Amino acid sequence: GFLIINADDFGLSTSVNRAILASLQASLCSSTTIMANQPAYLDACQLAHDHKLLDRVGVHLVLTEGAPLTEAIKRLPRFCDPEAQFCLSRKKRVFRMSASERDAVAAELSAQITRCRAAGLPITHVDSHNHSHEEFAILSIVIALAHRERIRFCRLSKNCGSGIDLPGRLYRHVVNASIRHAGLAGTQFFGWAGDVAELMRKRGGHCSAEVMVHPAFDEHGCLHDSFQRVGLQDLVSQIPGYRDAISYGALP
């Protein structure tokens, strides 16, 4: 088995960028995904080049925060508010989209990938902010784009740990089956650090999994996970073999 620890939100802010860089250098994560529409995107690109991280950077597709890169999606109330900022809510499943919505989403996500490639980032894998690629109508677009853009891997939907009800489990099973059928699954499992730690202990390390982390500096300047509000070292050190985690770019 093998482990991937991915730091989401590269490009969100210069502070988050520095925290992700520090986490990569301290072996507290092994890859990251970049947000092409966020304020510190160019700073993140510069760090990736300066510190030779190009084989560790995927794309963190965004439909839920900040301003779009394209025009058509700004006119769609499901995706953007009157100030032309992303506002997609995941409280209701996105099973269907109109033709204009599909075209606009495809154009926007394509533009985000293109912007990353234009900055010299090869793009090892794809995931999304707030897991919006798990919405069924959006997933089909992401899969098609991954194939077209020769992006080899796509993050699974969370499929380990507790707190998933039966309808949620069934939905995630269908999402993950679609990603696997498309040949884009790099791991068997995806979840939080505690979920994957428990899974690996149960299976004696005989599985492959991706863990998601959100590195940031706390008020004392120490690395922590901004979502789970716990020290990053404490969080990932519960996972057996965390220092041997690899990136999607290292997968054969």
Side-chain angles (χ1 to χ4, degrees):
F2 61 86
L3 176 69
I4 294 168
I5 304 175
N6 191 81
D8 289 14
D9 300 349
F10 201 34
L12 185 65
S13 69
T14 53
S15 176
V16 165
N17 290 351
R18 296 303 182 281
I20 289 173
L21 176 63
S23 303
L24 285 163
Q25 292 173 333
S27 298
L28 298 177
C29 66
S30 58
S31 69
T32 186
T33 34
I34 194 166
M35 307 170 84
N37 78 324
Q38 292 298 306
Y41 163 76
L42 292 174
D43 176 69
C45 292
Q46 191 67 51
L47 290 177
H49 282 280
D50 290 351
H51 295 274
K52 298 183 170 51
L53 303 174
L54 299 184
D55 62 339
R56 296 192 188 200
V57 180
V59 62
H60 200 53
L61 297 173
V62 187
L63 291 170
T64 55
E65 183 176 344
L69 303 183
T70 54
E71 289 302 311
I73 202 165
K74 293 177 183 176
R75 298 188 288 274
L76 300 175
R78 189 186 219 172
F79 290 95
C80 287
D81 64 21
E83 283 72 52
Q85 298 288 302
F86 280 130
C87 68
L88 177 67
S89 163
R90 293 198 59 223
K91 288 181 179 145
K92 284 187 185 166
R93 290 271 175 221
V94 184
F95 283 116
R96 289 191 186 85
M97 291 193 285
S98 66
S100 60
E101 285 177 329
R102 282 190 66 82
D103 290 348
V105 169
E108 174 62 27
L109 298 183
S110 179
Q112 292 181 21
I113 294 167
T114 299
R115 190 177 191 209
C116 294
R117 287 264 168 82
L121 302 175
I123 302 299
T124 57
H125 61 296
V126 60
D127 56 36
S128 63
H129 198 46
N130 304 125
H131 310 290
S132 55
H133 76 283
E134 295 175 9
E135 297 301 330
F136 213 76
I138 296 170
L139 179 64
S140 60
I141 293 171
V142 171
I143 287 172
L145 277 174
H147 284 155
R148 192 187 84 191
E149 297 291 335
R150 293 185 165 83
I151 298 171
R152 293 169 59 217
F153 302 108
C154 176
R155 172 182 281 171
L156 296 174
S157 181
K158 182 177 182 288
N159 61 350
C160 59
S162 59
I164 311 171
D165 61 14
L166 182 60
R169 275 206 299 275
L170 292 172
Y171 182 83
R172 288 161 194 257
H173 178 78
V174 172
V175 166
N176 290 341
S178 301
I179 293 170
R180 290 191 184 101
H181 181 71
L184 296 171
T187 63
Q188 296 166 278
F189 297 97
F190 166 68
W192 295 101
D195 301 331
V196 171
E198 185 183 350
L199 180 78
M200 290 204 147
R201 281 193 290 270
K202 276 183 185 167
R203 291 177 172 240
H206 299 299
C207 62
S208 58
E210 179 189 353
V211 170
M212 165 185 63
V213 293
H214 297 85
F217 293 113
D218 66 16
E219 62 272 23
H220 306 295
C222 299
L223 283 169
H224 77 146
D225 186 286
S226 63
F227 268 53
Q228 297 193 269
R229 301 282 175 192
V230 63
L232 197 60
Q233 174 82 49
D234 294 337
L235 189 67
V236 301
S237 62
Q238 65 185 306
I239 310 168
Y242 77 95
R243 289 201 176 276
D244 299 320
I246 62 171
S247 68
Y248 276 102
L251 292 181

